[in-house]
């Protein structure tokens, strides 16, 4: 059977054999891209079974799937019935990915239907399920589809957000299937997290985003933080088995939608964030303050919109916000609690970014401080970021450059090591 001679040591299942991946393919034009995904998986040493829908076979034929995967291909439960394929695949798969997922199959999965081999396999699954929707923008944005996305995410299924770009016809917009290489890398990372499960039962309280301090009913003082870093940490922590409470200060909605499995609490201002983090931290093993908290807030918030003053200046008096991180560190609910801060720094003639970060770690008495350099065009929303993680004594525990997803893993690995590997 299959690809045993191609097993890569990088991609073995938890039982030591090759990773079993079931690739569902539905009847969207992006089905042709699934051929590349299957090739990438096979090349990495995975044992791949392709389960197309009947409609998918009119896009790419059975022979192609059988040749690429090295396994027979069925579309319905009554074919090859002796092997009870939906139950077998549901049990042996380490991950099931459906790429592309049409609006129709998404709706069938959301409704819990089992009218072909693919939907029956998804229902019988014991492993993570990943859907990669691809459809026209109007269909993707339709409330029926969005409702179905919410339903399946609520059941723990991962739904990868579609990319924006050219669609089948002359139209373009969100709905495009991400490139096979991106899907492959998401699967690898999800599976690596899942197999590790090293944070099983560990409770995390993570803040992310940026607070907004109101000036009047329509204006505020804010910052450019999207919440991407905190969301990436939360996503990976959940995948590694953690129970995560995510305190979100104006985090982008698409990031929140991707946070299946975390309890999400909204906080708008620094005062709200403080209250929510104190509550979450009271029962947390690990506390991560990734939110950009406003250091100051307007002393008075005007009830009415502040009017223009015919050219004369307006003075806004700002008062300092409490340091939430320092407060959490000095009032730990448990001395074994791990407290992690972020220091978004800019260096200057007097001191380096690292030096400022070290001082901050000591001043706030955190266990770990993640230091990164920011500026007009760095740190916020960048694809590649550089971080250095120091402990309270200033010793460097890790240094890495990469995407926020990769760095989220580095941060979690460092937390795991800090806690002695035994969580
Ligand atoms: O002092 P600075 O704002 O650079 O420190 C950043 C770290 O402190 C971050 O982890 C941030 O979430 C936290 N912080 C806080 N309360 C504040 C300001 C920052 O918890 N008022």
């Amino acid at each position: 059977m299959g690809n045993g001679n191609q097993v890569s040591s990088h991609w073995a299942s938890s039982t030591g054999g090759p990773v079993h991946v079931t690739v569902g393919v539905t009847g969207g034009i992006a089905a042709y891209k699934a051929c590349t995904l299957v090739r990438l998986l096979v090349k990495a040493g995975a044992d791949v079974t392709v389960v197309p829908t009947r409609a998918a076979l009119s896009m790419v034929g059975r022979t192609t799937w059988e040749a690429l995967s090295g396994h027979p291909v069925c579309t319905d439960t009554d074919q090859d019935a002796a092997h009870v394929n939906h139950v077998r695949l549901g049990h042996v798969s380490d991950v099931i990915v459906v790429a592309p997922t049409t609006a129709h199959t998404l709706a069938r999965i959301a409704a819990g239907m089992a009218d072909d081999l693919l939907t029956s396999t998804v229902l019988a699954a014991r492993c993570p399920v990943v859907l990669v929707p691809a459809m026209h923008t109007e269909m993707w944005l339709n409330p029926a589809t969005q409702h179905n996305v919410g339903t399946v995410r609520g059941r723990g299924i991962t739904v990868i957000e579609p990319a924006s770009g050219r669609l089948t016809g002359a139209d373009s917009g969100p709905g495009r299937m991400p490139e096979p290489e991106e899907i492959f890398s998401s699967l690898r990372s999800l599976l690596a997290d899942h197999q590790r499960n090293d944070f099983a039962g560990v409770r995390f309280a993570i803040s992310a985003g940026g607070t907004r301090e109101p000036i009047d009913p329509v204006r505020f003082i804010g910052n450019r933080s999207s919440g991407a870093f905190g969301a990436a940490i939360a996503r990976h922590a959940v995948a590694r088995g953690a129970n995560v409470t995510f305190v979100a200060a104006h985090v982008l909605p698409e990031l929140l939608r991707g946070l299946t499995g975390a309890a999400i609490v909204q906080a708008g201002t620094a005062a709200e964030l403080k209250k929510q983090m104190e509550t979450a931290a009271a029962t947390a093993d690990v506390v991560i303050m990734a939110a950009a908290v406003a250091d100051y807030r307007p002393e008075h918030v005007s009830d009415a919109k502040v009017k223009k003053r015919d050219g004369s200046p307006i003075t806004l008096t700002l008062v300092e916000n409490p340091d939430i991180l320092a407060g959490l560190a000095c009032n730990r609910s448990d001395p074994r609690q791990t407290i992690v801060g972020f220091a978004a720094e800019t260096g200057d003639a007097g001191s380096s970014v690292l030096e400022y970060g070290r001082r901050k770690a000591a001043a706030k008495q955190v266990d770990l401080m993640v230091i990164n350099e920011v500026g007009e065009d760095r740190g916020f929303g960048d694809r590649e970021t550089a971080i250095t993680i120091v402990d309270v004594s200033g010793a460097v525990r890790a240094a890495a450059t990469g995407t926020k997803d990769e760095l989220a893993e580095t941060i979690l690995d460092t937390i795991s090591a800090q806690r002695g590997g035994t969580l």
Side-chain angles (χ1 to χ4, degrees):
M1 288 275 283
N3 311 298
N5 58 342
Q6 294 168 324
V7 172
S8 140
S9 57
H10 298 296
W11 222 23
S13 75
S14 41
T15 52
V19 161
H20 288 88
V21 184
T22 294
V23 178
V25 184
T26 69
I29 193 67
Y32 79 92
K33 288 198 203 171
C35 298
T36 309
L37 177 63
V38 172
R39 279 204 79 88
L40 289 168
L41 290 164
V42 169
K43 204 167 152 218
D47 187 8
V48 180
T49 304
V50 181
V51 182
T53 59
R54 269 160 272 151
L57 290 185
S58 72
M59 303 287 176
V60 178
R62 187 187 303 270
T63 315
T64 304
W65 299 124
E66 290 187 343
L68 288 176
S69 67
H71 288 299
V73 161
C74 299
T75 56
D76 288 279
T77 43
D78 59 0
Q79 298 161 341
D80 189 24
H83 286 107
V84 202
N85 273 320
H86 59 297
V87 178
R88 186 180 62 80
L89 290 173
H91 290 185
V92 304
S93 298
D94 292 295
V95 64
I96 297 173
V97 56
V98 186
T101 307
T102 55
H104 179 64
T105 294
L106 172 67
R108 288 191 297 144
I109 293 172
M113 288 174 74
D115 56 350
D116 62 4
L117 180 58
L118 176 57
T119 49
S120 303
T121 303
V122 168
L123 268 190
R126 289 177 174 171
C127 63
V129 175
V130 180
L131 305 184
V132 193
M135 62 197 75
H136 288 280
T137 303
E138 292 78 6
M139 295 172 79
W140 170 247
L141 296 178
N142 189 292
T145 303
Q146 289 302 312
H147 185 265
N148 289 334
V149 170
T151 301
V152 299
R153 278 186 169 146
R155 292 190 201 129
I157 290 178
T158 300
V159 180
I160 297 183
E161 290 284 311
S164 261
R166 184 74 192 266
L167 302 168
T168 320
D171 52 340
S172 65
R176 217 179 126 80
M177 189 166 99
E179 294 312 311
E181 290 75 10
E182 284 175 54
I183 301 170
F184 174 72
S185 127
S186 301
L187 291 178
R188 269 197 101 118
S189 139
L190 182 130
L191 215 51
D193 283 345
H194 189 73
Q195 285 174 352
R196 270 216 208 112
N197 207 30
D198 56 347
F199 287 116
V202 180
R203 298 159 302 173
F204 277 64
I206 302 176
S207 74
T211 65
R212 293 181 183 173
E213 309 301 320
I215 297 169
D216 66 20
V218 293
R219 302 187 182 92
F220 57 82
I221 299 174
N223 60 70
R224 295 193 286 131
S225 176
S226 64
F229 218 155
I233 297 169
R235 223 175 31 248
H236 287 279
V238 168
R240 285 164 75 158
N243 296 327
V244 176
T245 299
F246 187 77
V247 180
H250 307 282
V251 171
L252 292 177
E254 61 263 36
L255 294 171
L256 291 182
R257 283 201 298 270
L259 266 182
T260 312
I264 297 172
V265 182
Q266 304 275 0
T269 62
E272 286 164 14
L273 193 94
K274 178 172 183 287
K275 190 162 162 260
Q276 298 293 0
M277 278 307 281
E278 282 171 356
T279 305
T283 53
D285 304 298
V286 179
V287 177
I288 303 179
M289 277 292 297
V293 183
D295 290 326
Y296 291 90
R297 67 180 185 280
E299 186 174 26
H300 300 291
V301 181
S302 171
D303 289 336
K305 190 178 165 196
V306 176
K307 306 287 183 296
K308 272 198 233 171
R309 300 234 182 118
D310 296 328
S312 52
I314 289 181
T315 304
L316 197 60
T317 305
L318 301 178
V319 292
E320 201 168 345
N321 275 328
D323 192 311
I324 304 167
L325 178 61
L328 292 170
C330 106
N331 302 306
R332 287 166 207 251
S333 57
D334 178 336
R336 287 166 304 173
Q337 194 174 51
T338 306
I339 303 222
V340 184
F342 272 69
E345 295 291 341
T346 52
D348 57 28
S351 248
S352 67
V353 170
L354 184 59
E355 224 21 73
Y356 277 119
R358 281 184 166 132
R359 276 185 225 161
K360 210 163 270 185
K364 302 195 188 215
Q365 285 293 294
V366 293
D367 299 298
L368 297 169
M369 184 64 92
V370 181
I371 305 166
N372 70 323
E373 189 169 357
V374 291
E376 216 13 60
D377 57 350
R378 306 186 69 167
F380 291 97
D382 278 354
R383 286 187 72 82
E384 286 270 309
T385 310
I387 57 164
T388 305
I389 306 176
V390 298
D391 64 18
V392 68
S393 74
V396 173
R397 293 296 191 90
T401 303
T403 61
K404 292 198 164 76
D405 268 301
E406 289 160 352
L407 297 178
E409 292 283 25
T410 307
I411 293 165
L412 290 171
D413 291 346
T414 313
I415 292 170
S416 178
Q418 165 81 10
R419 293 175 66 82
T422 48
L423 297 149

